Every structure is written in C-alpha cells, then in structure tokens.
Amino acid sequence: MEKLHDRIEDVLTMLYDYSYIDLDKFYNNKGNKELLEVLNNVNNRGYAKREEMETLQDLHDSIDSFIKFETNDNSRIGDF
C-alpha cells in the first residue's frame, strides 16, 4: 500500500499542473501551514511516526475539501 505522505505529495504535484485549481490558496491558508510542516518533516525523514499519522490524515482530508470547493464538487482527491 502506498504511504499516505507519498500519496499526498503525488496529489499536490498533480495539482500544480491542473490549471483550474489555485494551489497557492491552499499553501497560503494559515490552517494548512502546520499540516504542511508535518508533511515536509515526514518527507525529509522518509517515514511517518505514529503520532504524525493523524496529522497526515487531516492534511489529506483538507486537500480533498479544497479540491471539492475549487471545482464546485466536480472533483475530489481520488481523481488525482
């Protein structure tokens, strides 16, 4: 099974190429900064600690909500 942090990175990378979504809004949102910091730490380390898994799931859910909002519920994270 693909690691959650790898999946999140893949989705964020794909969203850069998707012109209908302004990904800068996601990165500039204060609520996402802490979540993205944890993702960065996990990526640097190469694995997630048990206590980081909930944060990664929150980030995954936040990305999904953001995609739904930006596409008027026409897309979700599973589409990327």
Side-chain angles (χ1 to χ4, degrees), residues 64-76 79:
D64 190 40
S65 295
F66 179 75
I67 291 170
K68 288 176 186 175
F69 176 78
E70 286 289 307
T71 63
N72 296 318
D73 288 323
N74 289 323
S75 293
R76 49 188 300 154
D79 297 333

Side-chain angles (χ1 to χ4, degrees), residues 36-65:
L36 290 165
E37 283 180 29
V38 170
L39 177 63
N40 188 45
N41 291 338
V42 169
N43 284 331
N44 287 338
R45 188 180 324 108
Y47 64 92
K49 296 178 182 177
R50 178 179 291 166
E51 60 269 14
E52 294 168 324
M53 291 305 296
E54 184 177 335
T55 303
L56 290 176
Q57 186 61 52
D58 289 345
L59 179 57
H60 182 275
D61 295 345
S62 180
I63 294 169
D64 190 40
S65 295

